[in-house]
Amino acid sequence: MVNMNYEPKNAFFCSQFVVETLKKAGIWLWNRPSGLVTPHCFLLHPELEVVYEGKLSDYPGLENSRSAAAVQRIRDVQYQEQAV
């Protein structure tokens, strides 16, 4: 990593979005700009623990939710695109 803070207007990358969302909820886990927090930082943070690792679409219990239908539609589209 280059260790440069990247904060474009009106856009986030995944870990930056999560950090900003946590900050809005009053949870400050790092004493650095959100643009310098990487996914690996979450894995190494002593206050956090991994509770699930894998595809979101494979998360237990998801099959009984509206989200499961949305995930299946995405899979169908991806399958159709691969078939072309």
Side-chain angles (χ1 to χ4, degrees):
M1 182 168 187
V2 180
N3 205 27
M4 292 177 52
N5 188 23
Y6 177 68
E7 293 188 21
K9 294 181 181 179
N10 304 318
F12 291 102
F13 55 90
C14 61
S15 55
Q16 184 183 26
F17 175 76
V18 174
V19 172
E20 289 299 322
T21 302
L22 290 170
K23 283 182 183 179
K24 296 266 188 219
I27 302 169
W28 292 73
L29 297 174
W30 291 275
N31 198 14
R32 64 178 110 163
S34 61
L36 294 179
V37 178
T38 68
H40 193 68
C41 295
F42 286 90
L43 185 63
L44 298 178
H45 197 286
E47 299 290 324
L48 302 175
E49 66 178 289
V50 176
V51 294
Y52 176 75
E53 185 173 336
K55 292 181 178 180
L56 181 59
S57 60
D58 294 336
Y59 188 79
L62 186 62
E63 65 277 354
N64 295 324
S65 71
R66 291 186 303 166
S67 297
V71 168
Q72 187 58 51
R73 285 191 300 271
I74 291 169
R75 284 181 175 165
D76 292 344
V77 168
Q78 289 173 340
Y79 178 76
Q80 290 169 358
E81 289 173 352
Q82 289 175 354
V84 173

